[in-house]
Amino acid sequence: MTAQAGATHPTSHDHAHDDADYLRATRGFRSWAMTLDHKRIGIMYLVAVLTAFLAGGIFALIVRTELLWPGRTIVDPDTYNKAFTLHGAIMVFLFIIPSIPAALGNFFLPLMLGAKDVAFPRLNLASFYIYVFGAIFALFSIVTSAVDTGWTFYTPYSTQTGTAVIAMTLGAFILGFSSILTGVNFIATVHKLRAPGLHWKRLPLFVWSIYATSVIQVLATPVLAITLLLLIMERALTLGIFDPRLGGDPVLFQHFFWFYSHPAVYIMILPGMAVVSELIATFSRRKIFGYMFVAMSSVALALLAFLVWAHHMFVAGMSEYAVMVFSGLTFLVAIPSAVKVFNWVATLYKGSVSFESPMLYGLAFIVLFTVGGLTGLPLATIVTDVHLHDTYYVVAHFHYVMVGGTVFGFIGGLHYWWPKMTGKLYNERLAQIAFALVFTGFNVTFFTQFLLGSHGMPRRYYDYLDQYQPLHGFSSFGSYILGVGFVIMLWMFVQSLMRGAKSPPNPWGSAAFEWQTSSPPIAHNFHETPIVTRGPYDYHLATEEELYTGFPEDRVERVTAKTEKEEG
Amino acid sequence: MATPTTESAAAHDEHAHGSHGPKWLQHHFDMPVQQFEAAKLGMWAFLAQEILFFSGLFVAYAVIRQQYPEAFAAGSHQLDKIMGGINTIVLLFSSLTAALSVRSAQLGKKNEVNLYLGITILCAFGFLIIKYFEYSTKIEHGLLPGQYWHPHMEHGHALFPAHTHVFFGVYFMLTGLHGLHVAIGIGILAWIMWRNNRGEFSKDYWTPVDLAALYWHLVDLIWIYLFPLLYLI
């Protein structure tokens, strides 16, 4: 990436800003609100999704607090229903789905491709405002009467409840279009804006996964859009398509809903895997073992995502043959997932592993995703699913995948790329304390729920039998630890922004492409169009200069000594 | 490929500095052909999304038709085949003129582009006007979805089979969403016409005309499926 084509001329326009980083290239509110720079749009997304995460987290704490003891603890049943619905809807539609692709993806995809921007910068800005617009609708539903259907909006209840279903589903509908446009943009960017020499076999695995994610976003999200539109029309015009009172079929709604929302699980987890591949490579200082297998497993997951939706509906009244087929197809998902996990572990083996905070999240991801994946098998198996369906076991399973996977991937990526985005270092000790609390809190909260569920505690219930109290109490206690961990992390990032030390361009000594530009990057990403001559994980081909620009001397020695020792 | 080689080569030599390319070349593209291909790929991805957007309705159609075949047959008989047929011809013709506008743009004939886009827009309005008459007849006769279903009996119609109102639910959703796409198409085509008048397009740069026409072909394509499925069963 340091080898450059031809002589470099400063561009005639913007010359004065050419060397300024993207944060300082232009100033003022308008320069941010109307920016076409993918990095600024990524930062705006980051702020937005973190706000949503905070809101969703608060609702989660309300739910867990209410469940501390049987009967009423702090809120009435209606408020409880609304709290868990809002927790789910906000976390899924406003946080998890856009978190990695829209925030980190927007920032890093063009950098990793050696491009100046995404293919359609104006569309990119538009999709951010569409996101904000959708969020406003969701917020509007909260301040009016909220929604109590659960985030799945199942009919026929959602056609009858007196709460603000239309505002919330319209919000999700609009958010879907934001997601689609981001996907379209990324697909065109990956195909057409790769730097010279960056062929498909050299793409960073982050790019491969985000690309696979984009394909799902473009092909699955419109089905949710039409489903929500039909639900809105069902409420407004009584269409009779989903409402059984009018001759409609509520199971059809579930098919439609999961035809999106199961692929959406991969919109959530593939980007998490994307981040983890980068983390494992950087902190093992090694080429990812079986690079092409890891890349292709992302594509395989994207395709399989479309074939397994009905495993959410084993007890919804499908034919037993359909149940068998969907059960069988569901097991196939284990193959590409396991390919990834085994290849990450194989990369760690004989790697020069260092345990900085991003790597801790990367390793935690592998552990939690493995637990989440393996606990999915009893849910894919018909006989056990009948017992576990709609119990806390399911809640625990999808939190292990979605929080243990996506959120840990996202937070790990945030730690990893924070110096690149802000140009600041953060307090590593605080980061590790926060990690310990988040990891412990998470497992206390959700591992307990596997036990609750297999003992028969149904999900979504406001009240429960006394015998479940100890486990519920333990789970709620874990959620408080989790909350404290996130507050410390927030404090650590704020502290870094206020008075963090300046970061070198490549603080982790990574061979990946995005670290080869300054931290924070200049407005046009690279001073000259890079010519790519090696893969992003080719540590044996990377020069000292590429790996250690601005790196503290003692750290270089430590890392290289360790590498030599392990190679010797 | 779309863009003339001289332009691409020139822009390629300047390499990486957008300010040296033609005015319409955006700064983050190295050469015109790259910008054209990215735009085209993006549009195709968007159109794939549109197809899947409608696919939900087509699946709902299939499921409900399978559940209530008589209701669908009875509902379909209430639709006006003549009007639907005329609308099919109108849309097919407008797709032709949209394609011709792209060809004129490629040849750099600004006035012809205006002419063909104008005809396309007129056809689109024609389609919506015919649709308006169809809709008003349905509303007048109470052939509406769900609780608004109250068909008149005064013309001596036989009673409708149960759940015929679901057919009209599907009918209004499918044609309504399609009609919305026609209306959006009018806006897009008018915008392209306005940009053409400003002289934004030339032999070397006509990508937006091409993409707008692609969108219009999709609108036409969806109707080609809607017409037999709704009117001719």
Side-chain angles (χ1 to χ4, degrees):
Chain A
M1 288 288 279
T2 46
Q4 303 297 340
T8 59
H9 315 281
T11 52
S12 53
H13 71 108
D14 274 358
H15 183 196
H17 305 309
D18 233 29
D19 290 327
D21 68 62
Y22 79 100
L23 291 167
R24 291 171 192 82
T26 49
R27 285 170 190 283
F29 176 76
R30 210 184 128 79
S31 78
W32 278 84
M34 300 305 287
T35 184
L36 298 180
D37 184 344
H38 66 98
K39 299 183 288 300
R40 286 190 170 189
I41 294 171
I43 295 290
M44 294 197 290
Y45 262 118
L46 187 63
V47 173
V49 298
L50 287 175
T51 311
F53 185 55
L54 183 65
I58 289 169
F59 285 116
L61 289 177
I62 293 173
V63 169
R64 279 316 329 163
T65 305
E66 170 53 41
L67 292 171
L68 266 175
W69 287 284
R72 184 187 163 119
T73 310
I74 52 164
V75 292
D76 60 70
D78 277 345
T79 315
Y80 169 81
N81 286 346
K82 287 171 181 173
F84 79 67
T85 300
L86 292 171
H87 165 66
I90 289 175
M91 284 299 196
V92 169
F93 294 115
L94 283 164
F95 171 66
I96 294 184
I97 288 177
S99 63
I100 297 175
L104 299 178
N106 244 323
F107 198 108
F108 289 103
L109 192 81
L111 281 174
M112 289 179 174
L113 295 174
K116 290 199 196 74
D117 209 320
V118 291
F120 315 116
R122 270 178 299 194
L123 188 70
N124 200 17
L125 183 65
S127 64
F128 172 72
Y129 283 111
I130 294 172
Y131 170 87
V132 173
F133 191 56
I136 289 171
F137 267 91
L139 190 69
F140 175 77
S141 84
I142 298 174
V143 296
T144 50
S145 61
V147 184
D148 62 353
T149 58
W151 77 279
T152 53
F153 312 119
Y154 271 3
T155 55
Y157 183 68
S158 58
T159 62
Q160 294 166 10
T161 169
T163 52
V165 173
I166 289 186
M168 182 55 105
T169 47
L170 208 54
F173 177 85
I174 295 166
L175 290 168
F177 277 97
S178 165
S179 181
I180 291 169
L181 294 178
T182 302
V184 166
N185 214 336
F186 285 179
I187 290 175
T189 308
V190 173
H191 273 275
K192 297 299 172 193
L193 285 175
R194 282 172 284 132
L198 185 58
H199 48 69
W200 288 87
K201 287 185 179 174
R202 281 180 182 161
L203 281 186
L205 287 166
F206 182 84
V207 175
W208 267 111
S209 279
I210 294 290
Y211 177 76
T213 310
S214 301
V215 171
I216 311 178
Q217 281 177 308
V218 170
L219 296 183
T221 318
V223 178
L224 176 75
I226 194 65
T227 310
L228 296 179
L229 192 63
L230 278 171
L231 177 59
I232 292 166
M233 289 300 165
E234 188 80 59
R235 274 183 78 96
L237 300 175
T238 60
L239 286 182
I241 291 178
F242 298 140
D243 191 342
R245 289 176 303 177
L246 295 162
D249 185 354
V251 178
L252 183 62
F253 178 88
Q254 296 191 20
H255 277 292
F256 279 179
F257 183 84
W258 289 113
F259 187 81
Y260 165 77
S261 293
H262 192 79
V265 172
Y266 297 90
I267 298 178
M268 301 171 200
I269 194 69
L270 276 169
M273 293 168 161
V275 174
V276 169
S277 296
E278 300 296 319
L279 296 178
I280 297 292
T282 295
F283 294 97
S284 306
R285 316 185 62 71
R286 245 184 127 214
K287 195 180 172 72
I288 287 280
F289 181 85
Y291 164 89
M292 258 340 249
F293 276 95
V294 180
M296 285 304 132
S297 65
S298 295
V299 179
L301 279 176
L303 299 177
L304 287 173
F306 287 97
L307 302 177
V308 300
W309 77 88
H311 69 218
H312 295 265
M313 302 164 57
F314 284 167
V315 299
M318 286 194 303
S319 84
E320 59 191 89
Y321 299 105
V323 171
M324 282 194 278
V325 168
F326 279 107
S327 172
L329 287 170
T330 302
F331 282 110
L332 289 181
V333 172
I335 298 168
S337 311
V339 164
K340 279 186 189 286
V341 170
F342 291 141
N343 282 339
W344 289 325
V345 173
T347 309
L348 291 169
Y349 177 67
K350 282 199 174 171
S352 164
V353 181
S354 56
F355 296 97
E356 277 101 342
S357 49
M359 183 59 158
L360 295 177
Y361 285 98
L363 295 173
F365 175 100
I366 297 181
V367 173
L368 302 178
F369 177 72
T370 306
V371 174
L374 290 176
T375 53
L377 297 177
L379 297 174
T381 311
I382 304 153
V383 278
T384 38
D385 180 65
V386 171
H387 174 67
L388 296 171
H389 187 85
D390 269 348
T391 65
Y392 265 83
Y393 183 94
V394 178
V395 177
H397 161 69
F398 73 69
H399 277 87
Y400 262 85
V401 178
M402 284 154 75
V403 185
T406 316
V407 178
F408 274 65
F410 172 70
I411 301 285
L414 193 60
H415 281 77
Y416 176 54
W417 283 306
W418 182 264
K420 178 59 61 185
M421 291 191 283
T422 62
K424 300 276 180 74
L425 295 173
Y426 52 80
N427 183 330
E428 177 68 18
R429 179 179 294 267
L430 268 182
Q432 300 212 358
I433 292 171
F435 169 78
L437 289 171
V438 167
F439 187 74
T440 314
F442 173 82
N443 282 298
V444 171
T445 310
F446 295 108
F447 199 83
T448 314
Q449 296 184 3
F450 280 124
L451 305 176
L452 264 178
S454 35
H455 289 149
M457 172 71 210
R459 67 194 278 206
R460 299 199 181 100
Y461 276 30
Y462 173 74
D463 199 0
Y464 53 82
L465 300 174
D466 286 337
Q467 71 201 60
Y468 295 120
Q469 198 282 325
L471 286 172
H472 265 304
F474 202 58
S475 178
S476 297
F477 172 65
S479 71
Y480 300 140
I481 302 178
L482 194 56
V484 171
F486 280 122
V487 170
I488 293 177
M489 189 189 302
L490 179 68
W491 163 246
M492 174 207 83
F493 280 131
V494 171
Q495 195 189 43
S496 160
L497 279 183
M498 307 286 278
R499 48 193 169 89
K502 190 173 164 21
S503 164
N506 192 355
W508 313 116
S510 170
F513 302 142
E514 73 273 20
W515 298 103
Q516 307 304 321
T517 183
S518 51
S519 291
I522 57 167
H524 286 176
N525 292 354
F526 299 96
H527 289 282
E528 309 116 42
T529 301
I531 304 283
V532 179
T533 54
R534 60 172 175 82
Y537 314 117
D538 290 337
Y539 281 85
H540 59 295
L541 297 177
T543 61
E544 289 276 308
E545 187 203 347
E546 283 174 312
L547 292 180
Y548 303 120
T549 307
F551 214 65
E553 273 307 312
D554 57 319
R555 219 151 151 215
V556 178
E557 276 165 26
R558 186 165 60 82
V559 173
T560 44
K562 201 171 173 189
T563 311
E564 277 159 15
K565 191 178 134 209
E566 275 162 28
E567 279 171 358
Chain B
M1 205 19 78
T3 11
T5 46
T6 47
E7 279 288 332
S8 331
H12 187 61
D13 286 342
E14 299 294 346
H15 205 67
H17 298 301
S19 55
H20 294 289
K23 200 178 155 207
W24 41 263
L25 181 67
Q26 290 173 289
H27 85 280
H28 57 292
F29 289 109
D30 289 340
M31 40 189 158
V33 66
Q34 187 189 20
Q35 177 173 331
F36 173 77
E37 286 180 0
K40 196 108 180 187
L41 179 67
M43 192 65 195
W44 277 108
F46 181 77
L47 294 182
Q49 176 279 135
E50 284 285 333
I51 301 247
L52 279 149
F53 187 55
F54 275 93
S55 74
L57 285 173
F58 283 113
V59 171
Y61 172 96
V63 168
I64 296 168
R65 181 172 168 183
Q66 189 249 347
Q67 279 176 350
Y68 309 118
E70 293 89 10
F72 263 56
S76 175
H77 284 306
Q78 296 303 310
L79 302 184
D80 192 329
K81 289 185 180 59
I82 305 292
M83 281 196 180
I86 292 172
N87 255 349
T88 307
I89 293 164
V90 167
L91 268 195
L92 279 172
F93 181 71
S94 72
S95 231
L96 172 69
T97 54
L100 285 171
S101 76
V102 179
R103 179 178 158 74
S104 303
Q106 288 170 335
L107 296 173
K109 294 179 177 168
K110 187 177 152 186
N111 291 337
E112 271 188 27
V113 176
N114 266 347
L115 174 71
Y116 287 127
L117 284 177
I119 297 175
T120 314
I121 293 172
L122 282 180
C123 287
F125 273 113
F127 178 90
L128 288 181
I129 290 165
I130 292 175
K131 201 82 232 159
Y132 166 77
F133 284 115
E134 282 191 72
Y135 270 18
S136 45
T137 320
K138 300 291 162 296
I139 293 166
E140 211 173 288
H141 291 266
L143 301 173
L144 291 165
Q147 67 190 47
Y148 304 100
W149 169 255
H150 54 91
H152 296 187
M153 289 297 130
E154 57 198 324
H155 303 302
H157 290 310
L159 281 173
F160 286 102
H163 302 305
T164 307
H165 62 89
V166 184
F167 172 82
F168 283 96
V170 175
Y171 166 80
F172 278 104
M173 274 307 289
L174 271 168
T175 55
L177 204 59
H178 176 262
L180 183 68
H181 278 75
V182 173
I184 292 170
I186 290 174
I188 292 172
L189 293 167
W191 177 53
I192 296 295
M193 210 165 148
W194 179 74
R195 288 178 67 181
N196 183 51
N197 272 327
R198 282 165 41 114
E200 281 188 32
F201 307 129
S202 63
K203 281 209 292 284
D204 302 323
Y205 180 62
W206 37 264
T207 313
V209 186
D210 195 17
L211 300 187
L214 266 182
Y215 171 84
W216 193 252
H217 295 322
L218 179 90
V219 172
D220 180 33
L221 178 77
I222 288 171
W223 179 257
I224 288 173
Y225 282 91
L226 290 190
F227 177 60
L229 285 178
L230 292 171
Y231 290 74
L232 302 182
I233 57 171

